[in-house]
Amino acid sequence: MRVCAACGGRNMEEFYRQAAVPVHSVLLFPTRARARRCPRGQIRLGACQDCGLVTNLDFDPHLLDYGEQYEENQGYSPTFDAFHRDLAAAWIRRYGLHGKRLLEIGCGKGEFLSLLCESGGNRGLGFDPAFTRARSRARGEVEFVRELYSSANAAQDVDFVCCKMTLEHVHRPTELLDALRSGIAENTSVVFQVPNAARIFDEGAFWDIYYEHCHYFSRRALEALFHGCGFALDAVETAYQDQYLFVHARSRSAAPSAAGSGRTPVAEMASALEGKLAQWRAWFQESGTQRIVLWGGGSKAVALLSALTVPDRVHCVVDINPHRQQTFLPPAGHKIVAPQDLPGIDPQIVVVMNPVYEAEIRQALAALGLTPRLVMMR
């Protein structure tokens, strides 16, 4: 029996397994051989019938190494950069972030925190073990700590806290939230962003299931977690074509309150995943000898190649992030190339790993004089 990490419930129902999965999806591997020898782990998903949290029951945090070679940056995409800028402007308006002290948990290379500080004249403090000064394009008054945020450094005099795409990596999320609530003043506004689990499991998006993500949060699971840790919820919202889920909350000293419950449809979730797996296996088989490249050299490509095991059907992977180019992708060691390399490859099919970038990718291909067929991963 496994205790739910969000609500403490003891009714976890298993529904999906995958063996020998790369434990890191955006770690840079300098050679094909090293990518093929990447550390691997097991995925065994279970869903809490009390709050809906989905958890990898076989997750081992000791397998992970979030260091300088961890390349999570999406900011080289004009589409994503515009989203980030709009998001920063919206939060500055919503929370009056002018001349404030801001904290970001899991700040990556510091781009978003720097944007908040520069745009609003704020001061920032960011925590992330993968932060590297050489890679930082930090602007404004920002301090970075190359550590995980924890109870050891939780006491911070700040006016606003954000945490983007990090909570799903945290093995014991209640410990992080308890440390946060005890370390900041009452009524401090906090915003957390996570992948939207409802979209993943409704659509059967197996390419969005990664070993690093030990938890998958639906709206109900987020509400249970934050209520249980004593936060008052102001709003739960989706964005980026429903790919992201945002919880807006405030720290409170009051006793935790109960969140609503409901059924977690594990049979339907399992069926959706198996259906999409079968659909894409058949598609790769039916594509014959056409030259296929994947556009997007991050987590989605690693998850797809791990789940389908079709290495001979994919020629290479393309990514606009220059730090990923000329490295190799686990599990089979596909080379990551730059868009400028594609004319020499002459792809016949480009599989777009995230359809939100379709227009951007079409424009890039047209500029290169290429007209491959685009297939959306959905």
Side-chain angles (χ1 to χ4, degrees):
M1 181 181 294
R2 183 71 177 265
V3 176
C4 175
C7 73
R10 295 177 177 271
N11 189 11
M12 300 288 290
E13 187 172 341
E14 182 184 330
F15 67 96
Y16 179 78
R17 290 190 181 213
Q18 190 179 346
V21 178
V23 300
H24 281 298
S25 298
V26 292
L27 203 63
L28 300 178
F29 290 95
T31 67
R32 179 172 284 110
R34 287 183 61 178
R36 288 174 173 171
R37 295 197 307 268
C38 67
R40 304 192 187 212
Q42 314 301 316
I43 289 178
R44 182 166 60 96
L45 297 185
C48 175
Q49 291 301 302
D50 295 321
C51 76
L53 179 72
V54 172
T55 294
N56 179 8
L57 303 175
D58 286 344
F59 179 77
D60 180 358
H62 299 100
L63 294 177
L64 300 179
D65 179 21
Y66 294 111
E68 293 186 9
Q69 294 303 306
Y70 194 80
E71 184 52 51
E72 79 296 336
N73 193 331
Q74 297 172 268
Y76 291 94
S77 159
T79 302
F80 189 84
D81 183 63
F83 165 72
H84 248 189
R85 291 183 178 280
D86 289 346
L87 188 66
W91 287 3
I92 288 171
R93 290 193 303 270
R94 184 169 185 167
Y95 292 103
L97 301 181
H98 296 281
K100 304 291 187 180
R101 173 77 164 161
L102 316 181
L103 165 66
E104 184 174 9
I105 299 169
C107 65
K109 302 301 185 288
E111 292 87 351
F112 187 72
L113 181 59
S114 297
L115 184 58
L116 284 174
C117 290
E118 184 183 46
S119 300
N122 300 298
R123 293 174 296 135
L125 174 63
F127 284 85
D128 201 305
F131 175 80
T132 54
R133 178 63 62 182
R135 285 285 315 284
S136 173
R137 292 180 289 178
R139 303 173 298 275
E141 192 175 343
V142 189
E143 175 188 355
F144 296 100
V145 180
R146 290 186 58 195
E147 297 176 8
L148 292 170
Y149 180 86
S150 67
S151 58
N153 47 38
Q156 302 293 340
D157 180 18
V158 296
D159 303 296
F160 176 81
V161 179
C162 64
C163 178
K164 298 172 66 271
M165 306 301 280
T166 297
L167 189 64
E168 65 276 10
H169 295 252
V170 178
H171 191 213
R172 295 184 174 88
T174 55
E175 292 183 5
L176 185 148
L177 289 180
D178 286 343
L180 176 61
R181 190 166 68 91
S182 66
I184 59 178
E186 183 174 356
N187 220 38
T188 300
S189 293
V190 305
V191 183
F192 277 66
Q193 174 192 349
V194 296
N196 182 7
R199 182 199 61 82
I200 294 171
F201 296 112
D202 286 350
E203 297 181 6
F206 64 88
W207 54 90
D208 280 321
I209 296 175
Y210 325 133
Y211 190 85
E212 292 117 315
H213 291 187
C214 48
H215 303 298
Y216 299 81
F217 293 94
S218 63
R219 179 187 299 264
R220 187 160 61 93
L222 268 184
E223 290 174 348
L225 174 64
F226 277 80
H227 277 298
C229 291
F231 285 82
L233 270 64
D234 295 325
V236 181
E237 304 165 344
T238 61
Y240 220 53
Q241 296 185 6
D242 287 338
Q243 294 184 28
Y244 300 147
L245 197 60
F246 292 88
V247 57
H248 297 257
R250 286 168 289 114
S251 57
R252 306 292 288 173
S253 59
S257 57
S261 61
R263 173 178 171 270
T264 305
V266 291
E268 292 91 330
M269 293 157 66
S271 178
L273 288 169
E274 292 302 328
K276 279 296 172 71
L277 280 163
Q279 172 189 324
W280 280 98
R281 283 195 191 101
W283 182 86
F284 275 101
Q285 291 174 356
E286 294 164 1
S287 62
T289 60
Q290 296 181 84
R291 192 174 299 107
I292 299 171
V293 304
L294 308 184
W295 193 300
S299 299
K300 294 176 190 290
V302 172
L304 180 144
L305 293 167
S306 300
L308 294 184
T309 59
V310 288
D312 58 326
R313 295 300 306 118
V314 175
H315 184 272
C316 64
V317 180
V318 60
D319 201 286
I320 63 173
N321 183 337
H323 299 282
R324 288 182 181 155
Q325 293 161 9
Q326 306 307 308
T327 66
F328 296 84
L329 203 67
H334 289 88
K335 188 174 184 179
I336 302 177
V337 303
Q340 292 76 16
D341 296 325
L342 289 179
I345 296 168
D346 191 23
Q348 294 163 293
I349 299 176
V350 171
V351 176
V352 178
M353 293 308 306
N354 191 337
V356 78
Y357 301 112
E358 178 181 359
E360 177 182 312
I361 291 169
R362 287 189 184 278
Q363 183 178 7
L365 289 168
L368 294 167
L370 299 174
T371 57
R373 179 162 68 96
L374 264 62
V375 176
M376 301 298 120
M377 197 71 203
R378 56 165 61 105

